[in-house]
Amino acid sequence: MSEEDIVDPTHPRYESLMIRKKVAEAGAKGMLADSAMIAHGRGEAFDYLLGEQTIPSAMDATKEAAARLVKAKRPVLSLNGNAIALAGQDFLTIASQLGCPIEINIFYRTPERMGALIGHLKMLNAKLGLDVEILGGIPDARIPGLEGPRGACQSEGIFEADTILVPLEDGDRCEALIAMGKEVLVIDLNPLSRSARTGTVGIVDEVTRVTKNLIQLIPKKPAPTKWKNDKALQSALDHIVETMSDKFN
Ligand code: ATP
C-alpha cells in the first residue's frame, strides 16, 4: 500500500477523501474512463460549496424522486461507471426495494469496461443475497437523437421505462430521455448542469448521501407533489451564495 492509499481518519474532510479513493480504486480495476476523476472533481468542488451535506431542498428532491420511483410502472436505474464505483451496493438495494432492473450505460463504452462493471455489480448482488437484473450488456434499442454508443440501450430497460433515475448523467442524454417522454430523476451536485436543469427532478447532493436517503424513504412510500424543479435548483444556488457571503462577515 502506498502512502497515497492511506487516508487519515482525523482529516477534517475524511469522508470526501474516502469517496475520492473509491473512484481511484475503481479506475485501477478498469471500471472507469480516464476522464472519470475529472467528472468526480467537478462534483467535489460543488460539494465543498454546499458544505458536504444534504441541504433541505436536496432532501425534498430526494423525497420527490422516491415518490415517483415508487409510483412508476416501469422504473429503471441507469448507472454509469462513477455511480457504480461510489454506490453500487446501495443502488442494488434500491433496485431490489423497487423490484426494478439496473441498466449500465456508459459514455465511453468498451467491452472491457462493460465487463468490469457488470462483474462488479454481479459480485455485489451475490454478496447482498439479491437477484437484481443487470441490463446494458447487450443493447437492442436506441435512444433517439443520440449518436454512437451513448444512444445504445436495452428495450426491456431504459427504452420502455417510464421513470429513470440517472445519477451523474451528461446533459445530452438527459435531454434525449426527456424528449422520449420519460420522467428523469437526476442526481448531480452541480445545480447549473444541463442534467439538473433538464431533468424532471434534480437532486443537488452527493450520490452516496442520496442513495442512503432513498433507502430510508422508499419504504415510506411518499406521495408525489407538483414538483417545481427550478425552485429547488434556485434554492441550492441560494444556499451556496449565502454560505459564501457569510464566510468573511
Ligand atoms: P451537463 O452536460 O449536464 O451540463 P457535465 O458536462 O458537467 O454536465 P458530466 O461531466 O458528464 O456532465 O457529469 C459530471 C456531473 O456529475 C457534474 O455535473 C458533477 O457535478 C456531477 N458529479 C460528479 N461526482 C458526483 C457525485 N459524487 N455526486 C453527485 N454528483 C456528482
Side-chain angles (χ1 to χ4, degrees), residues 39 42-43 86 168 170-171 188-190 193-195 205-207:
R42 187 154 39 213
L86 293 175
L168 334 182
D170 84 290
D188 193 325
L189 278 159
N190 177 2
S193 82
R194 279 180 307 148
S195 308
D205 199 2
E206 206 283 321
V207 68

Side-chain angles (χ1 to χ4, degrees), residues 153-171:
C153 69
Q154 241 170 284
S155 44
E156 74 265 38
I158 288 173
F159 194 78
E160 293 289 344
D162 58 353
T163 304
I164 311 186
L165 180 68
V166 286
L168 334 182
E169 186 53 87
D170 84 290

Side-chain angles (χ1 to χ4, degrees), residues 73-78 100-105 133-143 152-165 173 177 180 182:
K73 290 203 171 60
R74 291 190 71 149
V76 170
L77 314 185
S78 167
C100 78
I102 283 177
E103 181 162 338
I104 304 175
N105 191 292
E133 194 180 3
I134 314 293
L135 303 174
I138 312 165
D140 61 351
R142 292 204 63 81
I143 302 169
C153 69
Q154 241 170 284
S155 44
E156 74 265 38
I158 288 173
F159 194 78
E160 293 289 344
D162 58 353
T163 304
I164 311 186
L165 180 68
R173 207 161 152 269
L177 293 170
M180 286 174 87
K182 300 179 189 303

